[in-house]
Amino acid sequence: MKKIYLILVLLTIVAVIISIRYGAVDLSLKEILSALNKWFTDNPDLTLNERILLEIRLPRALLTLIVGSSLAVGGVLMQGLFLNPIVEPGLIGTSSGAAFGAALYFVLGATFSFNTGEWTLPIAACIGAMLSTFLVFMFAESKKQNKSSITSLLLIGIAINALFLSGVGFLAYIARDPQARSITFWNLGTLSGSNWHAVIIVGITSVICILIGLRYAKQLNALMLGTSEAKNLGVNVKALKIKVLIVNVILVAVATSFTGIIGFVGLVVPHLLRILKGSDNRYLIIGSVLMGGLLLSVADILARLLLAPAELPIGIVTTAVGAPVFIYLLRKNEYYF
Amino acid sequence: MLKAENISYQIDNKTLLNNISIEFNTGETTLIVGANGAGKSTLIKVLSKELNPTAGTITFNKQPIQSFKTSELAKVRAVLSQSNELAFPLLVEEVIMMGRYPHFDNKPAATDIAICKQAMELFDITKFKDRNFLTLSGGEKQRVHFARIVAQIWNNNTTETKLLFLDEPLTFLDIRFQLDFMNIVKEFIKQQNLIIIGVLHDLNLAIKYADKILLLDNGNLLKYGTPKEVLTSENIEKTFKITPHLYQKNKEETYLIF
C-alpha cells in the first residue's frame, strides 16, 4: 500500500512540473526556480514569465490537484454509502444541484448583494447541491423497506438531474451574454479561472471534509456487510448516512463551484484503486487524494496541449477518457455486482 | 445474565411475539426451536437490540438493554446471521478485522491483530487470509463470518459476560462443518463467559448441543427447559404437526426420526 502511495506521489510531482512548465508559453526550469525563489523571499521584481508562473500556472496546478482529490474522495464516500461502485456525484444530483446554485448566483448575484465575498459562489453551489442530493435521497428511499434500491436511486437521480438542469437552462436563457457564457463554461468544466482565492477556499474546505471523511472510513467498511450487520458492529447507520452525505455534498459542491462539472473522476479513480489493492475505505480515501489529483492534472495537461494555444474545457477531456474506461471496467469486473 | 420480562412485538396489528418472559444464564447455550413463522428470528432480533420490543423490558447484567450505547453494546454482543453478502471485494483478513472495529479507533492495536489471528486459527481459515472474500464458496464465507463474530466479543482478560446470537448460522454449511462449528462454539463458551442464544432448524443438532431449548409456537413461549424436557413427541407434534419416532442410541443420546 505504501508503495502505491509513493508511486502516486512521485507521478504527481512529475505531472505538476509538466503542468507548470508547458502551456501557451513554455517556461524553463531556471525561470521556475527563480520565480519560486523570488516568491519565497517576497521579491516583487518579477519578469512576465515569472508572473505567468506565480499568478496563473501555480494556482491552476494546485487547484487541479485539490479538485481532483475532492471529486475522487466524493466518489469513494458515495459508493461506500450506497454500497455500489457505479455511484458518483453526477449520478445522484449533486453536480446538477451545484450547477443550478452556481447559475443562480451568476444570473442573480448582481441583483442581490450578499456580504459573503469570495465565499458566495461556493455557498450558492452548496445550497443547490444539498437540495438536489437530499431530494434524490428522500424520493429514492422506499417507505416499505426503509432503504434505497440502486435502481430507484439512479432513476430518481435522472429525474432530479433533468429538473435542475432545466432550471440551469432557464437561467441561461434569461441571462445576458457574459453571464450565459459563465454558465456554459461551468457546465463543461474548466480550470482556466483558477486563482489563489479559489485555491485557498477549496483547499480549506477539502482538507477539512477529507479528514472528516477519513474518520468515517471504518464505519463505511462495516456498512459493506449490510445495514443490520453494521448496526451489530456498533455503527449508528442513520446518523452515519446523514453525516457522510453532508460532508460529501460540501466537498463536491465547493470544488465544483470554481471549476464547473468535471465528470467521471469520482467514478474512475476509486475503481482503479480497488483493482490495485481492494476496497478498504481508509486506503481508498488516501489513495483517491493522491490519484484523483494526479489524474486531473494529467487531464488538465491534455486539455491545454491538445488544441494549444486554445484550451479545451477539462470536463470534456475527463468524460471522453472516463466513459470508455468506465465501460471497460464494468465489463471486466462483473463480480462487483 | 440476560433477562426478558413480558416482551411482546407487534407490527401492523400482527403479534409476532406475545408476552414472553425468560432468563438466560451465563455459560448456557439456549436454542430456539419452532415452526416457520413462530417468531424465532424476531425473538433473536429483539433480544439483540436490533428491534425494540413493543412491550416489556430486557435487562443485561441488571441494566436495561436500551440504556446501552450501540457502540458499547457492540463490544460484548455479537450476532451471526445467515446472510453473507459483501458489497465490495475485501481480503478475508480485512473482513475478520471488522469484528474488532468496536474496540479500536483508527488503527488496530496489537491485541486486535492477535485476536483476529486466533479467531482464524480457531476456524481453520488462516490459509486463505489473503484471498478475496468474494471468491470464496458459500461455506467458506460463512466460516469467515464466524471468525469475525467470535473476534468481535473475544476478550482475553476479563470475566464480563458476553452475548452471542446465532440466527440460523448453519444454513450454508455441509454437515461436517455444521458439527465442526457447533463443537468450536462449545469450546469457545468454555473459555469465555458467554450466553449463547441461537436458532437452529435441525432438531437433532439442537438436542445435541443445547443446554436449554426454547419452543416457540405462534409467538408464544410454549416450553422452556432441557432438550429432554422440551422436545417430547407430544410437544413436537403440537408445534410441527408431525409425529417423530424417538431413537434411543444409548443412555445419553436420543435422536428424532421423521
Side-chain angles (χ1 to χ4, degrees), chain A:
Chain A
M1 222 167 274
K2 292 215 169 92
K3 225 194 216 158
I4 295 175
Y5 296 156
L6 188 68
I7 292 170
L8 288 173
V9 169
L10 293 176
L11 288 174
T12 305
I13 292 171
V14 173
V16 168
I17 291 173
I18 294 174
S19 141
I20 57 177
R21 258 198 90 175
Y22 301 104
V25 186
D26 291 351
L27 307 177
S28 68
L29 279 177
K30 216 176 126 198
E31 279 171 316
I32 292 173
L33 289 176
S34 127
L36 288 177
N37 187 33
K38 282 182 184 168
W39 192 42
F40 284 120
T41 53
D42 267 333
N43 184 343
D45 177 28
L46 297 168
T47 66
L48 177 65
N49 277 3
E50 287 170 350
R51 284 189 56 197
I52 289 176
L53 179 83
L54 293 182
E55 286 163 24
I56 298 173
R57 296 271 171 87
L58 201 55
R60 180 174 186 146
L62 291 177
L63 190 68
T64 309
L65 289 181
I66 301 167
V67 169
S69 304
S70 302
L71 293 176
V73 173
V76 172
L77 294 179
M78 283 297 91
Q79 290 157 19
L81 204 55
F82 292 109
L83 298 177
N84 198 298
I86 64 164
V87 179
E88 71 128 22
L91 281 175
I92 56 157
T94 313
S95 305
S96 65
F100 180 72
L104 215 55
Y105 164 77
F106 289 135
V107 176
L108 300 177
T111 322
F112 306 100
S113 57
F114 308 98
N115 292 318
T116 40
E118 293 287 335
W119 288 85
T120 316
L121 177 60
I123 288 172
C126 264
I127 293 171
M130 208 67 94
L131 184 68
S132 58
T133 311
F134 274 94
L135 281 177
V136 171
F137 209 59
M138 201 177 80
F139 288 127
E141 191 138 309
S142 135
K143 273 189 198 128
K144 260 214 167 127
Q145 298 171 338
N146 214 1
K147 63 170 189 186
S148 35
S149 84
I150 194 67
T151 324
S152 71
L153 192 77
L154 295 181
L155 292 176
I156 298 285
I158 290 172
I160 297 286
N161 273 336
L163 186 67
F164 277 79
L165 289 178
S166 88
V168 174
F170 172 74
L171 288 167
Y173 186 73
I174 62 165
R176 265 162 287 149
D177 189 43
Q179 301 159 344
R181 216 175 138 67
S182 294
I183 295 173
T184 311
F185 260 100
W186 212 90
N187 281 337
L188 291 173
T190 176
L191 286 154
S192 60
S194 306
N195 55 43
W196 284 107
H197 275 301
V199 172
I200 289 164
I201 290 176
V202 182
I204 291 171
T205 28
S206 293
V207 168
I208 293 171
C209 288
I210 290 170
L211 286 178
I212 295 174
L214 210 50
R215 274 184 58 97
Y216 295 127
K218 205 181 72 177
Q219 300 190 13
L220 285 173
N221 280 352
L223 201 57
M224 286 185 216
L225 297 166
T227 310
S228 53
E229 297 288 322
K231 274 186 197 157
N232 289 334
L233 282 172
V235 178
N236 184 341
V237 176
K238 242 186 188 154
L240 176 74
K241 284 194 171 173
I242 292 171
K243 286 187 242 173
V244 171
L245 203 61
I246 289 174
V247 167
N248 172 71
V249 167
I250 294 174
L251 183 66
V252 171
V254 172
T256 329
S257 70
F258 287 98
T259 61
I261 299 172
I262 300 176
F264 284 96
V265 178
L267 232 162
V268 170
V269 173
H271 258 289
L272 291 175
L273 287 166
R274 282 200 190 93
I275 290 168
L276 283 176
K277 200 108 180 77
S279 309
D280 173 40
N281 279 296
R282 206 182 150 74
Y283 150 74
L284 286 181
I285 290 175
I286 298 173
S288 288
V289 168
L290 302 172
M291 195 190 262
L294 171 65
L295 283 198
L296 202 62
S297 293
V298 173
D300 184 50
I301 294 169
L302 290 176
R304 282 185 296 147
L305 296 184
L306 280 180
L307 293 182
E311 177 184 327
L312 275 174
I314 192 168
I316 292 177
V317 178
T318 58
T319 307
V321 176
V325 170
F326 177 54
I327 293 169
Y328 166 74
L329 292 174
L330 285 182
R331 302 286 308 167
K332 202 178 152 211
N333 293 291
E334 279 154 304
Y335 67 84
Y336 280 167
F337 294 92

Side-chain angles (χ1 to χ4, degrees), chain B residues 98-219:
Chain B
M98 284 184 177
R100 298 304 296 169
Y101 278 1
H103 301 271
F104 65 86
D105 261 345
N106 250 329
K107 288 225 155 144
T111 33
D112 298 316
I113 294 166
I115 286 171
C116 284
K117 216 176 138 203
Q118 281 173 290
M120 284 192 280
E121 271 159 24
L122 193 59
F123 288 95
D124 194 22
I125 51 175
T126 314
K127 56 183 176 291
F128 42 77
K129 72 180 175 44
D130 293 320
R131 274 182 59 190
N132 174 356
F133 178 84
L134 294 178
T135 64
L136 302 180
S137 72
E140 288 168 337
K141 282 179 181 167
Q142 191 66 340
R143 273 155 70 202
V144 171
H145 283 309
F146 289 152
R148 170 173 66 82
I149 293 303
V150 162
Q152 186 183 344
I153 50 172
W154 195 300
N155 206 326
N156 281 336
N157 44 26
T158 66
T159 49
E160 81 187 309
T161 302
K162 281 146 286 181
L163 295 168
L164 178 58
F165 293 95
L166 308 169
D167 192 357
E168 304 187 31
L170 307 179
T171 316
F172 292 102
L173 298 182
D174 52 36
I175 184 70
R176 185 193 133 206
F177 286 118
Q178 290 188 9
L179 296 174
D180 272 3
F181 171 66
M182 289 312 292
N183 289 333
I184 293 170
V185 167
K186 278 291 180 193
E187 262 321 293
F188 192 55
I189 202 171
K190 275 185 211 152
Q191 296 167 17
Q192 308 266 328
N193 278 319
L194 281 183
I195 295 173
I196 297 178
I197 303 169
V199 173
L200 281 194
H201 273 299
D202 189 322
L203 295 182
N204 283 312
L205 278 180
I207 293 175
K208 192 170 157 88
Y209 290 103
D211 298 311
K212 297 280 172 60
I213 298 266
L214 196 163
L215 188 59
L216 275 186
D217 185 38
N218 262 325

Side-chain angles (χ1 to χ4, degrees), chain B residues 25 50 56 110 114 125 135 160 219 226 228 233 237-238 246:
Chain B
N25 299 316
E50 191 182 332
I125 51 175
T135 64
E160 81 187 309
T226 62
K228 251 196 187 134
S233 307
E237 229 178 287
K238 203 166 161 190
L246 292 181

